[in-house]
Amino acid sequence: MLEKVVETLREEFSDLADASDVTRLLLRVLLAVGLAALIGYEREVRGSTAGLRTHMIIALGVALIVVAAQQSGMDSEDVSRVIQGVFAGIGFLGAGAIIKQSRSEEVRGLTTAASLWTTAAVATACGLGSELTAITATLIALLILSVLLRIERRTIKRNPPPP
């Protein structure tokens, strides 16, 4: 009886069979979380509704789903469908970050929603093993979120919108 229990436990915990599997999982998931932290920190500093922790936990979940789908032996078509489902869910999270101001026509949170979506894309790239692509995309996102914001603010100061 005890032997059966031990054998079953060994089978259930066999998804990471060797050191290379553990290393691959840790690299992909931790890189996804680390890159999301960079994007989330930028959003946190700007006072957005979704900041550091939100971006990190989304990245963890997305990367984990992608890695687990691959580990389960799914073919690329099935993994693609899993990713499609993930992005449908991310769309709902992004919608929750968008707020229309009740007394004006101003809509807030679009950039945060887009950063959540981008974070999910970066985490997907990490989960698929495209680490350099994920790093490059994160750097571009940070450039867009921070540098272009400064340029945008300078342009608005010089050319204020009509009343």
Side-chain angles (χ1 to χ4, degrees):
M1 171 77 168
L2 183 59
E3 290 173 9
K4 282 272 194 203
V5 170
V6 170
E7 182 182 327
T8 302
L9 287 172
R10 199 173 281 136
E11 288 173 7
E12 285 298 310
F13 287 92
S14 67
D15 56 324
L16 299 174
D18 58 24
S20 67
D21 288 341
V22 173
T23 302
R24 187 172 291 108
L25 171 71
L26 288 174
L27 173 66
R28 291 178 181 188
V29 171
L30 292 176
L31 182 62
V33 170
L35 294 174
L38 296 173
I39 297 170
Y41 178 75
E42 191 284 333
R43 297 281 73 212
E44 187 88 28
V45 168
R46 304 271 179 241
S48 77
T49 55
L52 181 66
R53 292 182 306 143
T54 304
H55 282 77
M56 291 173 75
I57 204 73
I58 285 172
L60 173 63
V62 171
L64 182 61
I65 288 169
V66 172
V67 169
Q70 288 179 320
Q71 284 178 340
S72 73
M74 289 182 174
D75 63 22
S76 60
E77 283 185 18
D78 291 334
V79 172
S80 174
R81 281 192 285 279
V82 168
I83 292 169
Q84 289 172 352
V86 166
F87 275 86
I90 295 299
F92 282 104
L93 287 174
I98 299 170
I99 302 168
K100 182 186 178 296
Q101 300 296 317
S102 60
R103 294 190 180 141
S104 70
E105 293 300 314
E106 184 181 7
V107 176
R108 299 184 44 86
L110 291 173
T111 302
T112 298
S115 74
L116 293 172
W117 191 85
T118 300
T119 295
V122 165
T124 300
C126 288
L128 291 171
S130 300
E131 292 89 355
L132 191 54
T133 299
I135 292 168
T136 303
T138 301
L139 293 174
I140 293 169
L142 291 171
L143 179 74
I144 292 167
L145 290 169
S146 61
V147 175
L148 291 182
L149 177 64
R150 291 183 196 129
I151 293 170
E152 187 178 277
R153 286 182 177 166
R154 285 186 195 144
T155 303
I156 290 173
K157 282 181 184 177
R158 289 185 194 145
N159 305 316

